[in-house]
Amino acid sequence: MIIFASSRKQNKKMNMRKLIYLLLLAVISTAFSFAEDSIPDILLKQTLTFAQKDTSELKMDIYRLKGTTHEKQPVMIFMFGGGFKGGKRNDPYYTNYFITLASQGITTISIDYRLGLVDQKITLFNTKAADYAINMAVEDLFQQPAMLLTMQKN
């Protein structure tokens, strides 16, 4: 009886792994099924400025299904990676991901933030530049939801 219970658990684990693998494969294959710079006709992409910080104009790209501007739907806010030294909200590398999510009814917002570590060196003993860069990015992130609330009211 113990052997039967153990093999049953192993079968459940294997089935769960297969399911996760298939879901991951489906998401990845769907993401790469679109041409990199083409937005399907069923989608709307808007670019809006949400803040002016120092000399930086911070923008956001909103991807959603056409005709759904007044309907409630899930929203995913995306902040690109790059260690506060590089990257951009509209990098073609991410576009397929945004298109895939928006095609499935998830409004996807990709935002800018200031890159506070460009031309900066940080060390184990000097983290001031990193602290500054993180604080700027957090400030920029919190500025963006205020813009979304303003948009929702109008």
Side-chain angles (χ1 to χ4, degrees), residues 32-62:
F32 291 107
S33 67
F34 297 104
E36 213 168 77
D37 289 325
S38 65
I39 305 292
D41 288 339
I42 61 168
L43 297 181
L44 174 66
K45 177 189 173 192
Q46 293 177 280
T47 301
L48 305 171
T49 301
F50 70 88
Q52 181 74 39
K53 301 286 184 164
D54 307 322
T55 59
S56 302
E57 188 176 64
L58 302 179
K59 295 185 178 197
M60 66 178 151
D61 292 334
I62 304 172

Side-chain angles (χ1 to χ4, degrees), residues 13-29:
K13 283 183 181 180
M14 294 254 312
N15 287 338
M16 185 60 81
R17 285 184 186 150
K18 286 179 186 177
L19 179 63
I20 291 171
Y21 175 73
L22 288 173
L23 286 172
L24 185 60
L25 186 61
V27 168
I28 290 170
S29 64

Side-chain angles (χ1 to χ4, degrees), residues 50 59-60 78-80 89 109-112 141 144:
F50 70 88
K59 295 185 178 197
M60 66 178 151
F78 178 83
M79 289 183 71
F80 59 87
R89 77 175 190 292
I109 301 170
S110 179
I111 70 167
D112 278 335
L141 175 63
Q144 192 265 341

Side-chain angles (χ1 to χ4, degrees), residues 29-142:
S29 64
T30 304
F32 291 107
S33 67
F34 297 104
E36 213 168 77
D37 289 325
S38 65
I39 305 292
D41 288 339
I42 61 168
L43 297 181
L44 174 66
K45 177 189 173 192
Q46 293 177 280
T47 301
L48 305 171
T49 301
F50 70 88
Q52 181 74 39
K53 301 286 184 164
D54 307 322
T55 59
S56 302
E57 188 176 64
L58 302 179
K59 295 185 178 197
M60 66 178 151
D61 292 334
I62 304 172
Y63 298 81
R64 64 177 155 224
L65 288 170
K66 284 184 179 175
T68 59
T69 54
H70 298 293
E71 296 176 18
K72 287 186 178 184
Q73 54 189 290
V75 175
M76 194 271 307
I77 298 175
F78 178 83
M79 289 183 71
F80 59 87
F84 305 107
K85 285 186 168 232
K88 54 186 177 177
R89 77 175 190 292
N90 56 355
D91 190 317
Y93 180 76
Y94 304 122
T95 304
N96 292 332
Y97 181 58
F98 304 149
I99 290 171
T100 299
L101 289 171
S103 297
Q104 296 174 7
I106 300 170
T107 296
T108 305
I109 301 170
S110 179
I111 70 167
D112 278 335
Y113 60 90
R114 293 172 287 169
L115 303 175
L117 288 180
V118 175
D119 300 325
Q120 297 289 322
K121 291 186 179 188
I122 58 171
T123 66
L124 184 59
F125 301 106
N126 180 12
T127 60
K128 276 187 179 180
D131 292 341
Y132 178 72
I134 291 168
N135 287 331
M136 278 193 335
V138 168
E139 180 184 322
D140 296 347
L141 175 63
F142 284 116

